[in-house]
Amino acid sequence: MSVLVTSDLDRTLIYSSAALALTMPDARAPRLLTVEVHESRPLSYMTETSARLLSELGDLVVFVPTTTRTRKQYQRINLPGPAPKYAICANGGHLLVDGVTDGDWYAQVTGRLADECAPLDEVRAYLADTTDPSWVRKHRVAEDLFAYLVVERELVPEEWVKELAVWAENRGWTVSLQGRKIYAVPKPLTKSAAMREVARRTGAELTLAAGDSLLDADLLLAVDRAWRPGHGELADAGWVGPAVIGLPERGVAAGERILREFLRASRER
């Protein structure tokens, strides 16, 4: 039986220094493997145990890294195990096949965005007009598909986030707050749609997934079995789905548990 495993990366399988500090006491810190370096600085890590588990998983299933990162940001990551044939970037906007964007898929995605939601320029203008430099550090556009802000989290007005969510909802967009980033993403731009395309191409009979944020929710609901860690946007909201298991583990320990669950479910079949 062909098994397809699609997993979010940041704060699900890999962790930045900031994410490590939130969830891992120094006295009990496991050995870590650097999986991302940028400008000669290590950025992201996983435990050595997670690295071993991911290598085992890659030999057993079709493993598809799935991320809201841009292609350039994703390609900085060097995961252990076999090089994935497929990867999902930009929240489903780009489907990479052997590291190269699938042009047909991208055309389908951009066609849906043009038909089903407000244009990116309208969202960018709203963000520029309603934010304050005292708490916004950067305005960014990802792959000409969606926008995000880098913010001082503790200074962001809670009421502004709520107002943004309502404004975006009425225009076919979703808002997600992850760490120091606030994302505004078109609703038709989904990880689940890209996952279904990979499942179709590979003939997968069992689909598994994991993720921690609101932008992962559609993916977790679309697969046969899914897991979310005990931290993150979904855990904070107490979110679960019919086939979604909320784990108690937080931080890198959750990453290890998720990979063990992937392996157990794959071997059972």
Side-chain angles (χ1 to χ4, degrees), residues 37-58:
V37 175
H38 181 52
E39 296 178 348
S40 302
R41 293 173 49 242
L43 290 186
S44 298
Y45 310 84
M46 64 195 319
T47 68
E48 289 185 348
T49 299
S50 288
R52 174 179 57 79
L53 294 170
L54 182 55
S55 294
E56 291 179 25
L57 186 70

Side-chain angles (χ1 to χ4, degrees), residues 50 110 114 120-121 128 131 151 174 191 209 228-229:
S50 288
T110 52
L120 174 61
D121 285 347
T131 54
V151 300
T174 296
K191 295 177 179 179
R228 64 147 176 83

Side-chain angles (χ1 to χ4, degrees), residues 66-86:
T66 306
T67 181
T68 305
R69 287 181 177 227
T70 64
R71 290 168 293 173
K72 185 176 180 180
Q73 291 167 339
Y74 164 71
Q75 287 163 349
R76 297 197 304 247
I77 300 171
N78 184 16
L79 293 173
K85 180 175 180 61
Y86 297 98

